[in-house]
Amino acid sequence: MPHDLKTRLASPDIVLAPGVYDAFTALIAAQTGFEALYLSGASVAYTRLGRSDVGLTTFSEVEETLARITERVELPVIVDADTGFGNALNVMRTVRGFERAGAAVIQIEDQGFPKRCGHLDGKSVIPAGEMVGKLKAAVDARHSASTLILARTDAVAVEGLDAALDRAEQYLEAGVDALFIEALRTPEQMDAACARFASRVPLLANMVEGGKTPIQDADQLQRHGFRIAIFPGGAARAVAFTLQDYYGSLKTHRTTTPFRERMLDFDGLNEVLGTPELLALGKRYTD
């Protein structure tokens, strides 16, 4: 899928990318008017496995999800590739597979295994030199220079801010296109990261409701110097909240009638999905 996110990121205006986890959420986000999407590895674990983000998802599960999204919407997708699902050779396979599936940006992190959500305690990180090798493999594996490699470090929680910034420096030297310093604790840490890198490379800010980093809106993040803002798991959390209410109401009332004002009806959902247009297209081949 063609995309021009590389050109867009050259602008100082921040890219706000909501988290999605399947073609349905991607479609609704695209209809809302966003410029880019973020395929959250955590949300894939939540929704496909019904499990926590503790390294259980696989390359093939994320690749399939990504392919379904990019077949349905035309927006550029930033995809969370976790650790690349193994060593440098696994990273090369991951990059090639995700690129074929339509990824605009492929994010690779430096956690050890089993990896976990960046806002959970108990993380570990691999040696910086090992991560540099994986990133060089990622850069070498991509077919097109318009497919961007985003390096994430989780070292703030393990080694401290200064070490995390030094790791990010090494990752930038390895040839990556963007940086993600995960779980910055304070606005001051956010400023420190931006002061070192924002003038040289796009920086991503990760907003996790209830996580380690203070939630700020996209305009505030842009003033720090970030050029990408993601809210990766918000959709899954919002859907979980709504489903608790919906199923609770159905169990209590034994009908959906009390919930009708909070849901689409049959025709409303088909309008979102584009069913009339799809049926009209099908008629072209049957009349």
Side-chain angles (χ1 to χ4, degrees):
M1 183 186 70
H3 48 73
D4 62 354
L5 193 55
K6 186 173 186 177
T7 300
R8 174 63 181 82
L9 289 174
S11 165
D13 294 330
I14 198 166
V15 173
L16 174 59
V20 300
Y21 52 79
D22 60 11
F24 186 56
T25 52
L27 176 64
I28 295 174
Q31 291 172 343
T32 305
F34 288 98
E35 296 180 84
L37 305 174
Y38 183 85
L39 176 54
S40 161
S43 292
V44 171
Y46 302 155
T47 58
R48 289 196 60 157
L49 307 181
R51 297 288 187 181
S52 305
D53 181 18
V54 291
L56 298 176
T57 54
T58 63
F59 160 77
S60 57
E61 288 165 337
V62 180
E63 181 191 39
E64 180 184 1
T65 303
L66 173 63
R68 298 290 75 77
I69 289 171
T70 57
E71 186 272 333
R72 188 65 183 92
V73 303
E74 296 184 355
L75 293 181
V77 179
I78 305 165
V79 58
D80 178 2
D82 288 343
T83 64
F85 305 102
N87 64 16
L89 296 179
N90 297 104
V91 166
M92 296 183 84
R93 178 173 184 253
T94 296
V95 168
R96 289 167 179 157
F98 285 7
E99 186 175 42
R100 285 193 304 270
V105 182
I106 301 170
Q107 172 193 308
I108 302 169
E109 69 194 42
D110 60 4
Q111 279 199 52
F113 193 82
K115 63 87 58 191
R116 60 184 64 198
C117 172
H119 292 256
L120 288 174
D121 294 329
K123 296 186 294 182
S124 64
V125 291
I126 62 176
E130 181 181 348
M131 181 62 173
V132 166
K134 292 172 70 169
L135 294 172
K136 288 180 177 178
V139 171
D140 288 345
R142 62 182 172 186
H143 177 72
S144 170
S146 66
T147 302
L148 308 184
I149 304 300
L150 168 61
R152 164 177 150 178
T153 179
D154 285 71
V156 171
V158 182
E159 300 175 341
L161 177 63
D162 290 341
L165 297 181
D166 289 342
R167 279 176 172 260
E169 190 73 57
Q170 294 180 63
Y171 302 166
L172 183 57
E173 292 174 1
V176 302
D177 304 285
L179 292 174
F180 173 5
I181 301 165
E182 173 64 298
L184 294 165
R185 299 304 204 259
T186 64
E188 290 74 24
Q189 288 192 348
M190 299 165 82
D191 283 335
C194 289
R196 184 158 174 179
F197 295 109
S199 64
R200 301 157 58 198
V201 66
L203 282 179
L204 182 147
N206 182 20
M207 298 289 99
V208 176
E209 299 81 4
K212 305 290 188 184
T213 305
I215 295 288
Q216 299 186 12
D217 64 38
D219 293 335
Q220 291 174 300
L221 295 171
Q222 180 173 317
R223 287 194 289 272
H224 283 289
F226 294 101
R227 274 188 266 168
I228 309 170
I230 61 170
F231 287 75
R237 280 184 276 278
V239 167
F241 183 85
T242 301
L243 287 177
Q244 285 178 332
D245 279 357
Y246 168 76
Y247 288 128
S249 176
L250 179 58
K251 180 66 166 59
T252 298
H253 300 288
R254 307 178 71 80
T255 176
T256 58
T257 300
F259 213 83
R260 285 291 298 276
E261 296 302 314
R262 299 171 59 190
M263 60 193 293
L264 296 174
D265 64 10
F266 181 79
D267 289 337
L269 181 56
N270 278 300
E271 186 67 27
V272 169
L273 294 170
T275 303
E277 293 83 0
L278 191 64
L279 294 176
L281 177 62
K283 287 191 66 176
R284 290 175 51 186
Y285 304 101
T286 57
D287 289 346

mmCIF file of all heavy atoms in Angstrom, residues 53-55 82-83 108-128 130-131 134 152-160 163-164 167 171 182-183 185 212:
data_model
loop_
_atom_site.group_PDB
_atom_site.id
_atom_site.type_symbol
_atom_site.label_atom_id
_atom_site.label_comp_id
_atom_site.label_asym_id
_atom_site.label_seq_id
_atom_site.Cartn_x
_atom_site.Cartn_y
_atom_site.Cartn_z
ATOM 1 N N ASP A 53 -0.802 -8.314 27.909
ATOM 2 C CA ASP A 53 0.332 -8.062 27.028
ATOM 3 C C ASP A 53 1.602 -8.522 27.734
ATOM 4 O O ASP A 53 2.336 -7.738 28.323
ATOM 5 C CB ASP A 53 0.393 -6.571 26.696
ATOM 6 C CG ASP A 53 1.548 -6.227 25.763
ATOM 7 O OD1 ASP A 53 2.074 -7.143 25.110
ATOM 8 O OD2 ASP A 53 1.920 -5.041 25.704
ATOM 9 N N VAL A 54 1.872 -9.828 27.652
ATOM 10 C CA VAL A 54 3.045 -10.409 28.317
ATOM 11 C C VAL A 54 3.818 -11.320 27.364
ATOM 12 O O VAL A 54 4.369 -12.350 27.763
ATOM 13 C CB VAL A 54 2.642 -11.180 29.598
ATOM 14 C CG1 VAL A 54 2.168 -10.217 30.677
ATOM 15 C CG2 VAL A 54 1.571 -12.233 29.293
ATOM 16 N N GLY A 55 3.846 -10.938 26.084
ATOM 17 C CA GLY A 55 4.667 -11.659 25.126
ATOM 18 C C GLY A 55 4.041 -12.909 24.544
ATOM 19 O O GLY A 55 4.767 -13.760 24.013
ATOM 20 N N ASP A 82 6.687 -5.633 18.666
ATOM 21 C CA ASP A 82 7.284 -6.115 19.912
ATOM 22 C C ASP A 82 8.810 -6.165 19.782
ATOM 23 O O ASP A 82 9.423 -5.189 19.398
ATOM 24 C CB ASP A 82 6.694 -7.469 20.303
ATOM 25 C CG ASP A 82 5.261 -7.364 20.799
ATOM 26 O OD1 ASP A 82 4.828 -6.249 21.151
ATOM 27 O OD2 ASP A 82 4.555 -8.380 20.823
ATOM 28 N N THR A 83 9.418 -7.278 20.075
ATOM 29 C CA THR A 83 10.875 -7.412 20.003
ATOM 30 C C THR A 83 11.359 -7.847 18.625
ATOM 31 O O THR A 83 12.540 -8.134 18.449
ATOM 32 C CB THR A 83 11.354 -8.453 21.022
ATOM 33 O OG1 THR A 83 10.804 -9.730 20.660
ATOM 34 C CG2 THR A 83 10.923 -8.096 22.439
ATOM 35 N N ILE A 108 10.152 -1.670 16.761
ATOM 36 C CA ILE A 108 10.871 -2.777 17.387
ATOM 37 C C ILE A 108 11.470 -2.294 18.698
ATOM 38 O O ILE A 108 12.093 -1.235 18.758
ATOM 39 C CB ILE A 108 11.967 -3.315 16.450
ATOM 40 C CG1 ILE A 108 11.353 -3.765 15.115
ATOM 41 C CG2 ILE A 108 12.722 -4.471 17.101
ATOM 42 C CD1 ILE A 108 12.372 -4.050 14.039
ATOM 43 N N GLU A 109 11.307 -3.070 19.751
ATOM 44 C CA GLU A 109 11.742 -2.662 21.087
ATOM 45 C C GLU A 109 12.900 -3.508 21.592
ATOM 46 O O GLU A 109 13.180 -4.580 21.053
ATOM 47 C CB GLU A 109 10.565 -2.755 22.064
ATOM 48 C CG GLU A 109 10.129 -4.185 22.338
ATOM 49 C CD GLU A 109 8.772 -4.264 23.021
ATOM 50 O OE1 GLU A 109 7.854 -3.527 22.648
ATOM 51 O OE2 GLU A 109 8.643 -5.103 23.948
ATOM 52 N N ASP A 110 13.539 -3.018 22.655
ATOM 53 C CA ASP A 110 14.738 -3.679 23.187
ATOM 54 C C ASP A 110 14.492 -4.470 24.462
ATOM 55 O O ASP A 110 15.419 -4.732 25.227
ATOM 56 C CB ASP A 110 15.855 -2.654 23.407
ATOM 57 C CG ASP A 110 15.480 -1.553 24.400
ATOM 58 O OD1 ASP A 110 14.381 -1.594 24.997
ATOM 59 O OD2 ASP A 110 16.298 -0.623 24.570
ATOM 60 N N GLN A 111 13.277 -4.914 24.684
ATOM 61 C CA GLN A 111 13.003 -5.730 25.858
ATOM 62 C C GLN A 111 13.578 -7.131 25.708
ATOM 63 O O GLN A 111 13.732 -7.651 24.600
ATOM 64 C CB GLN A 111 11.493 -5.848 26.087
ATOM 65 C CG GLN A 111 10.863 -4.655 26.782
ATOM 66 C CD GLN A 111 9.523 -4.999 27.394
ATOM 67 O OE1 GLN A 111 9.398 -5.965 28.156
ATOM 68 N NE2 GLN A 111 8.519 -4.193 27.070
ATOM 69 N N GLY A 112 13.854 -7.744 26.872
ATOM 70 C CA GLY A 112 14.155 -9.160 26.907
ATOM 71 C C GLY A 112 12.873 -9.971 26.876
ATOM 72 O O GLY A 112 11.769 -9.431 26.842
ATOM 73 N N PHE A 113 13.035 -11.292 26.883
ATOM 74 C CA PHE A 113 11.864 -12.166 26.820
ATOM 75 C C PHE A 113 11.683 -12.877 28.159
ATOM 76 O O PHE A 113 12.679 -13.281 28.777
ATOM 77 C CB PHE A 113 12.042 -13.201 25.698
ATOM 78 C CG PHE A 113 10.776 -13.927 25.369
ATOM 79 C CD1 PHE A 113 9.837 -13.363 24.520
ATOM 80 C CD2 PHE A 113 10.502 -15.160 25.925
ATOM 81 C CE1 PHE A 113 8.651 -14.014 24.228
ATOM 82 C CE2 PHE A 113 9.319 -15.820 25.651
ATOM 83 C CZ PHE A 113 8.402 -15.246 24.792
ATOM 84 N N PRO A 114 10.420 -13.049 28.613
ATOM 85 C CA PRO A 114 9.200 -12.612 27.950
ATOM 86 C C PRO A 114 8.995 -11.107 28.089
ATOM 87 O O PRO A 114 9.119 -10.564 29.186
ATOM 88 C CB PRO A 114 8.109 -13.390 28.668
ATOM 89 C CG PRO A 114 8.653 -13.641 30.041
ATOM 90 C CD PRO A 114 10.142 -13.795 29.867
ATOM 91 N N LYS A 115 8.686 -10.460 26.967
ATOM 92 C CA LYS A 115 8.428 -9.032 26.998
ATOM 93 C C LYS A 115 7.059 -8.801 27.630
ATOM 94 O O LYS A 115 6.251 -9.719 27.785
ATOM 95 C CB LYS A 115 8.519 -8.431 25.597
ATOM 96 C CG LYS A 115 7.515 -8.932 24.597
ATOM 97 C CD LYS A 115 6.190 -8.176 24.618
ATOM 98 C CE LYS A 115 6.390 -6.708 24.358
ATOM 99 N NZ LYS A 115 5.111 -5.950 24.652
ATOM 100 N N ARG A 116 6.801 -7.546 27.969
ATOM 101 C CA ARG A 116 5.506 -7.205 28.548
ATOM 102 C C ARG A 116 5.175 -5.760 28.206
ATOM 103 O O ARG A 116 6.014 -5.022 27.697
ATOM 104 C CB ARG A 116 5.512 -7.409 30.066
ATOM 105 C CG ARG A 116 6.542 -6.584 30.819
ATOM 106 C CD ARG A 116 6.547 -6.934 32.302
ATOM 107 N NE ARG A 116 6.949 -8.311 32.519
ATOM 108 C CZ ARG A 116 6.721 -8.993 33.643
ATOM 109 N NH1 ARG A 116 6.094 -8.417 34.637
ATOM 110 N NH2 ARG A 116 7.122 -10.234 33.761
ATOM 111 N N CYS A 117 3.948 -5.381 28.474
ATOM 112 C CA CYS A 117 3.532 -4.007 28.243
ATOM 113 C C CYS A 117 4.541 -3.052 28.852
ATOM 114 O O CYS A 117 5.034 -3.268 29.975
ATOM 115 C CB CYS A 117 2.148 -3.775 28.850
ATOM 116 S SG CYS A 117 1.615 -2.045 28.830
ATOM 117 N N GLY A 118 4.861 -1.992 28.123
ATOM 118 C CA GLY A 118 5.855 -1.036 28.587
ATOM 119 C C GLY A 118 5.493 -0.316 29.858
ATOM 120 O O GLY A 118 6.350 0.343 30.462
ATOM 121 N N HIS A 119 4.235 -0.421 30.300
ATOM 122 C CA HIS A 119 3.802 0.260 31.514
ATOM 123 C C HIS A 119 3.529 -0.721 32.653
ATOM 124 O O HIS A 119 2.952 -0.344 33.684
ATOM 125 C CB HIS A 119 2.589 1.141 31.210
ATOM 126 C CG HIS A 119 2.945 2.296 30.322
ATOM 127 N ND1 HIS A 119 3.081 3.589 30.791
ATOM 128 C CD2 HIS A 119 3.249 2.342 29.005
ATOM 129 C CE1 HIS A 119 3.438 4.375 29.787
ATOM 130 N NE2 HIS A 119 3.537 3.637 28.695
ATOM 131 N N LEU A 120 3.944 -1.987 32.461
ATOM 132 C CA LEU A 120 3.950 -2.952 33.556
ATOM 133 C C LEU A 120 5.334 -2.970 34.205
ATOM 134 O O LEU A 120 6.346 -2.698 33.555
ATOM 135 C CB LEU A 120 3.629 -4.358 33.038
ATOM 136 C CG LEU A 120 2.186 -4.631 32.608
ATOM 137 C CD1 LEU A 120 2.083 -6.022 31.989
ATOM 138 C CD2 LEU A 120 1.225 -4.495 33.788
ATOM 139 N N ASP A 121 5.374 -3.308 35.480
ATOM 140 C CA ASP A 121 6.644 -3.434 36.184
ATOM 141 C C ASP A 121 7.311 -4.762 35.830
ATOM 142 O O ASP A 121 6.687 -5.695 35.326
ATOM 143 C CB ASP A 121 6.423 -3.348 37.699
ATOM 144 C CG ASP A 121 5.932 -1.975 38.138
ATOM 145 O OD1 ASP A 121 6.301 -0.982 37.472
ATOM 146 O OD2 ASP A 121 5.163 -1.899 39.116
ATOM 147 N N GLY A 122 8.606 -4.856 36.127
ATOM 148 C CA GLY A 122 9.322 -6.111 35.968
ATOM 149 C C GLY A 122 9.901 -6.347 34.586
ATOM 150 O O GLY A 122 10.226 -7.490 34.244
ATOM 151 N N LYS A 123 10.083 -5.287 33.797
ATOM 152 C CA LYS A 123 10.653 -5.444 32.464
ATOM 153 C C LYS A 123 12.154 -5.710 32.543
ATOM 154 O O LYS A 123 12.806 -5.407 33.536
ATOM 155 C CB LYS A 123 10.418 -4.183 31.631
ATOM 156 C CG LYS A 123 8.974 -3.868 31.347
ATOM 157 C CD LYS A 123 8.841 -2.684 30.408
ATOM 158 C CE LYS A 123 9.335 -1.387 31.031
ATOM 159 N NZ LYS A 123 9.154 -0.237 30.119
ATOM 160 N N SER A 124 12.697 -6.259 31.457
ATOM 161 C CA SER A 124 14.139 -6.371 31.280
ATOM 162 C C SER A 124 14.479 -5.879 29.879
ATOM 163 O O SER A 124 13.603 -5.806 29.007
ATOM 164 C CB SER A 124 14.608 -7.821 31.450
ATOM 165 O OG SER A 124 14.058 -8.648 30.435
ATOM 166 N N VAL A 125 15.751 -5.530 29.674
ATOM 167 C CA VAL A 125 16.188 -5.093 28.348
ATOM 168 C C VAL A 125 17.413 -5.889 27.936
ATOM 169 O O VAL A 125 18.220 -6.299 28.772
ATOM 170 C CB VAL A 125 16.498 -3.574 28.305
ATOM 171 C CG1 VAL A 125 15.221 -2.762 28.449
ATOM 172 C CG2 VAL A 125 17.512 -3.177 29.370
ATOM 173 N N ILE A 126 17.540 -6.106 26.626
ATOM 174 C CA ILE A 126 18.701 -6.810 26.098
ATOM 175 C C ILE A 126 19.880 -5.842 26.030
ATOM 176 O O ILE A 126 19.695 -4.626 26.121
ATOM 177 C CB ILE A 126 18.406 -7.408 24.705
ATOM 178 C CG1 ILE A 126 18.077 -6.306 23.689
ATOM 179 C CG2 ILE A 126 17.268 -8.419 24.805
ATOM 180 C CD1 ILE A 126 17.878 -6.819 22.275
ATOM 181 N N PRO A 127 21.110 -6.324 25.888
ATOM 182 C CA PRO A 127 22.245 -5.411 25.737
ATOM 183 C C PRO A 127 22.043 -4.476 24.547
ATOM 184 O O PRO A 127 21.487 -4.864 23.508
ATOM 185 C CB PRO A 127 23.427 -6.358 25.518
ATOM 186 C CG PRO A 127 23.012 -7.636 26.166
ATOM 187 C CD PRO A 127 21.536 -7.742 25.939
ATOM 188 N N ALA A 128 22.510 -3.255 24.700
ATOM 189 C CA ALA A 128 22.333 -2.266 23.636
ATOM 190 C C ALA A 128 22.955 -2.729 22.331
ATOM 191 O O ALA A 128 22.391 -2.513 21.244
ATOM 192 C CB ALA A 128 22.937 -0.928 24.066
ATOM 193 N N GLU A 130 23.261 -5.749 21.181
ATOM 194 C CA GLU A 130 22.385 -6.739 20.542
ATOM 195 C C GLU A 130 21.223 -6.050 19.836
ATOM 196 O O GLU A 130 20.851 -6.417 18.716
ATOM 197 C CB GLU A 130 21.869 -7.722 21.581
ATOM 198 C CG GLU A 130 20.967 -8.803 20.998
ATOM 199 C CD GLU A 130 20.444 -9.764 22.057
ATOM 200 O OE1 GLU A 130 20.952 -9.736 23.210
ATOM 201 O OE2 GLU A 130 19.510 -10.535 21.741
ATOM 202 N N MET A 131 20.662 -5.025 20.476
ATOM 203 C CA MET A 131 19.562 -4.294 19.864
ATOM 204 C C MET A 131 20.027 -3.545 18.617
ATOM 205 O O MET A 131 19.309 -3.492 17.610
ATOM 206 C CB MET A 131 18.966 -3.320 20.881
ATOM 207 C CG MET A 131 17.782 -2.520 20.342
ATOM 208 S SD MET A 131 16.389 -3.571 19.866
ATOM 209 C CE MET A 131 15.161 -2.287 19.504
ATOM 210 N N LYS A 134 19.968 -5.903 15.820
ATOM 211 C CA LYS A 134 18.607 -6.185 15.357
ATOM 212 C C LYS A 134 18.069 -5.038 14.509
ATOM 213 O O LYS A 134 17.387 -5.265 13.493
ATOM 214 C CB LYS A 134 17.700 -6.451 16.560
ATOM 215 C CG LYS A 134 18.034 -7.745 17.284
ATOM 216 C CD LYS A 134 17.270 -7.903 18.593
ATOM 217 C CE LYS A 134 15.802 -8.162 18.383
ATOM 218 N NZ LYS A 134 15.120 -8.565 19.640
ATOM 219 N N ARG A 152 12.271 1.446 19.689
ATOM 220 C CA ARG A 152 11.752 1.745 21.030
ATOM 221 C C ARG A 152 12.712 1.206 22.078
ATOM 222 O O ARG A 152 13.203 0.085 21.975
ATOM 223 C CB ARG A 152 10.372 1.093 21.202
ATOM 224 C CG ARG A 152 9.898 1.013 22.655
ATOM 225 C CD ARG A 152 8.508 0.440 22.737
ATOM 226 N NE ARG A 152 8.293 -0.283 23.982
ATOM 227 C CZ ARG A 152 7.148 -0.861 24.340
ATOM 228 N NH1 ARG A 152 6.103 -0.797 23.522
ATOM 229 N NH2 ARG A 152 7.043 -1.514 25.475
ATOM 230 N N THR A 153 12.969 2.021 23.104
ATOM 231 C CA THR A 153 13.728 1.540 24.250
ATOM 232 C C THR A 153 12.864 1.582 25.500
ATOM 233 O O THR A 153 12.150 2.559 25.760
ATOM 234 C CB THR A 153 15.017 2.348 24.486
ATOM 235 O OG1 THR A 153 15.687 1.800 25.647
ATOM 236 C CG2 THR A 153 14.770 3.821 24.680
ATOM 237 N N ASP A 154 12.939 0.507 26.257
ATOM 238 C CA ASP A 154 12.236 0.398 27.537
ATOM 239 C C ASP A 154 13.184 0.581 28.717
ATOM 240 O O ASP A 154 12.854 0.231 29.851
ATOM 241 C CB ASP A 154 11.551 -0.963 27.632
ATOM 242 C CG ASP A 154 10.301 -1.054 26.769
ATOM 243 O OD1 ASP A 154 10.426 -1.090 25.530
ATOM 244 O OD2 ASP A 154 9.195 -1.056 27.327
ATOM 245 N N ALA A 155 14.350 1.169 28.455
ATOM 246 C CA ALA A 155 15.404 1.208 29.465
ATOM 247 C C ALA A 155 15.155 2.197 30.592
ATOM 248 O O ALA A 155 15.832 2.116 31.625
ATOM 249 C CB ALA A 155 16.751 1.512 28.809
ATOM 250 N N VAL A 156 14.232 3.140 30.433
ATOM 251 C CA VAL A 156 13.985 4.115 31.511
ATOM 252 C C VAL A 156 13.667 3.386 32.815
ATOM 253 O O VAL A 156 14.192 3.719 33.884
ATOM 254 C CB VAL A 156 12.847 5.079 31.135
ATOM 255 C CG1 VAL A 156 12.454 5.940 32.338
ATOM 256 C CG2 VAL A 156 13.261 5.979 29.974
ATOM 257 N N ALA A 157 12.814 2.364 32.739
ATOM 258 C CA ALA A 157 12.391 1.647 33.947
ATOM 259 C C ALA A 157 13.470 0.738 34.496
ATOM 260 O O ALA A 157 13.434 0.374 35.674
ATOM 261 C CB ALA A 157 11.139 0.822 33.640
ATOM 262 N N VAL A 158 14.446 0.359 33.667
ATOM 263 C CA VAL A 158 15.435 -0.645 34.060
ATOM 264 C C VAL A 158 16.776 -0.013 34.404
ATOM 265 O O VAL A 158 17.405 -0.371 35.402
ATOM 266 C CB VAL A 158 15.611 -1.677 32.924
ATOM 267 C CG1 VAL A 158 16.614 -2.763 33.334
ATOM 268 C CG2 VAL A 158 14.277 -2.298 32.539
ATOM 269 N N GLU A 159 17.216 0.940 33.588
ATOM 270 C CA GLU A 159 18.546 1.517 33.725
ATOM 271 C C GLU A 159 18.540 3.008 34.001
ATOM 272 O O GLU A 159 19.595 3.582 34.268
ATOM 273 C CB GLU A 159 19.340 1.261 32.431
ATOM 274 C CG GLU A 159 19.505 -0.209 32.102
ATOM 275 C CD GLU A 159 20.179 -0.444 30.746
ATOM 276 O OE1 GLU A 159 20.184 0.495 29.912
ATOM 277 O OE2 GLU A 159 20.696 -1.554 30.525
ATOM 278 N N GLY A 160 17.381 3.654 33.922
ATOM 279 C CA GLY A 160 17.293 5.089 34.166
ATOM 280 C C GLY A 160 17.254 5.893 32.882
ATOM 281 O O GLY A 160 17.537 5.405 31.793
ATOM 282 N N ALA A 163 20.643 6.411 30.679
ATOM 283 C CA ALA A 163 20.995 5.210 29.916
ATOM 284 C C ALA A 163 20.030 5.008 28.758
ATOM 285 O O ALA A 163 20.445 4.591 27.663
ATOM 286 C CB ALA A 163 20.993 3.988 30.831
ATOM 287 N N ALA A 164 18.749 5.301 28.976
ATOM 288 C CA ALA A 164 17.768 5.158 27.903
ATOM 289 C C ALA A 164 18.075 6.114 26.754
ATOM 290 O O ALA A 164 17.987 5.746 25.581
ATOM 291 C CB ALA A 164 16.365 5.394 28.435
ATOM 292 N N ARG A 167 21.024 4.801 24.859
ATOM 293 C CA ARG A 167 20.597 3.712 23.974
ATOM 294 C C ARG A 167 19.928 4.283 22.720
ATOM 295 O O ARG A 167 20.211 3.844 21.596
ATOM 296 C CB ARG A 167 19.602 2.798 24.703
ATOM 297 C CG ARG A 167 20.235 1.774 25.631
ATOM 298 C CD ARG A 167 19.150 0.999 26.370
ATOM 299 N NE ARG A 167 19.711 -0.112 27.119
ATOM 300 C CZ ARG A 167 19.713 -1.384 26.718
ATOM 301 N NH1 ARG A 167 19.159 -1.694 25.550
ATOM 302 N NH2 ARG A 167 20.239 -2.339 27.453
ATOM 303 N N TYR A 171 20.735 3.664 18.759
ATOM 304 C CA TYR A 171 19.735 3.155 17.825
ATOM 305 C C TYR A 171 19.587 4.095 16.628
ATOM 306 O O TYR A 171 19.409 3.649 15.488
ATOM 307 C CB TYR A 171 18.399 2.966 18.534
ATOM 308 C CG TYR A 171 18.441 2.028 19.729
ATOM 309 C CD1 TYR A 171 17.394 1.976 20.651
ATOM 310 C CD2 TYR A 171 19.540 1.200 19.964
ATOM 311 C CE1 TYR A 171 17.428 1.134 21.740
ATOM 312 C CE2 TYR A 171 19.584 0.345 21.059
ATOM 313 C CZ TYR A 171 18.523 0.327 21.949
ATOM 314 O OH TYR A 171 18.564 -0.515 23.036
ATOM 315 N N GLU A 182 10.124 4.753 25.834
ATOM 316 C CA GLU A 182 8.904 4.315 26.497
ATOM 317 C C GLU A 182 8.873 4.678 27.970
ATOM 318 O O GLU A 182 9.898 4.675 28.666
ATOM 319 C CB GLU A 182 8.767 2.794 26.325
ATOM 320 C CG GLU A 182 7.631 2.142 27.097
ATOM 321 C CD GLU A 182 6.249 2.596 26.657
ATOM 322 O OE1 GLU A 182 5.949 3.802 26.777
ATOM 323 O OE2 GLU A 182 5.458 1.749 26.224
ATOM 324 N N ALA A 183 7.645 5.001 28.427
ATOM 325 C CA ALA A 183 7.324 5.174 29.851
ATOM 326 C C ALA A 183 8.154 6.268 30.517
ATOM 327 O O ALA A 183 8.671 6.093 31.627
ATOM 328 C CB ALA A 183 7.461 3.843 30.597
ATOM 329 N N ARG A 185 8.551 9.321 32.788
ATOM 330 C CA ARG A 185 7.782 9.436 34.023
ATOM 331 C C ARG A 185 7.180 10.820 34.271
ATOM 332 O O ARG A 185 6.183 10.944 34.969
ATOM 333 C CB ARG A 185 8.667 9.070 35.227
ATOM 334 C CG ARG A 185 9.221 7.655 35.251
ATOM 335 C CD ARG A 185 8.109 6.616 35.161
ATOM 336 N NE ARG A 185 8.499 5.333 35.713
ATOM 337 C CZ ARG A 185 8.870 4.290 34.983
ATOM 338 N NH1 ARG A 185 8.957 4.401 33.673
ATOM 339 N NH2 ARG A 185 9.151 3.135 35.555
ATOM 340 N N LYS A 212 2.472 4.833 33.156
ATOM 341 C CA LYS A 212 3.565 5.528 33.837
ATOM 342 C C LYS A 212 3.722 6.978 33.386
ATOM 343 O O LYS A 212 4.187 7.820 34.150
ATOM 344 C CB LYS A 212 4.893 4.792 33.570
ATOM 345 C CG LYS A 212 4.892 3.319 33.927
ATOM 346 C CD LYS A 212 4.855 3.091 35.409
ATOM 347 C CE LYS A 212 5.060 1.619 35.734
ATOM 348 N NZ LYS A 212 4.935 1.339 37.187
#
